[in-house]
């Protein structure tokens, strides 16, 4: 992230805040689906759960799908199942 943000979170906190989904989350008015691998090394799993709870507290309809043992990029079989789950979520009323 330091490469993309121009430094560490301490050096350029505003750059990290600008890239944070939480900074834009207050504008959401539609249902949200969060899909996250529990072993993600690029975006810590806690970021997904924090976003989920933040949206819930604000009354946003949110669904969270956790994929145990998956990293940022899911294994092929799990990826296919996740895509199917996403389409099921999109088709739900």
């Amino acid at each position: 992230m330091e490469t993309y943000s121009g430094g560490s979170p301490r050096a350029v906190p505003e750059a990290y805040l600008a890239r944070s989904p939480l900074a834009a989350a207050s504008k959401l008015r539609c249902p949200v689906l969060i899909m996250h691998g529990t072993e993600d090394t690029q975006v810590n799993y806690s970021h997904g759960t924090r976003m989920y709870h933040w949206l819930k507290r604000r009354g946003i309809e949110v669904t969270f799908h956790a994929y145990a043992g998956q990293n940022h990029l899911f294994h092929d079989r799990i990826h296919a199942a996740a895509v199917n789950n996403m389409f099921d979520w999109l088709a739900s009323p």
Side-chain angles (χ1 to χ4, degrees), residues 12-47:
V12 286
E14 65 283 351
Y16 283 79
L17 181 60
R19 293 181 61 89
S20 171
L22 286 173
S26 63
K27 299 175 187 172
L28 291 171
R29 300 290 177 260
C30 62
V32 174
L33 172 63
I34 299 171
M35 304 170 80
H36 213 294
T38 62
E39 301 300 319
D40 193 328
T41 56
Q42 290 184 33
V43 178
N44 192 286
Y45 182 72
S46 68
H47 293 200

Side-chain angles (χ1 to χ4, degrees), residues 68-89:
Q70 298 304 300
N71 200 332
H72 197 70
L73 301 175
F74 298 173
H75 297 290
D76 289 343
R77 193 178 89 253
I78 302 299
H79 177 82
V83 169
N84 286 332
N85 288 339
M86 177 190 63
F87 283 124
D88 289 345
W89 180 83

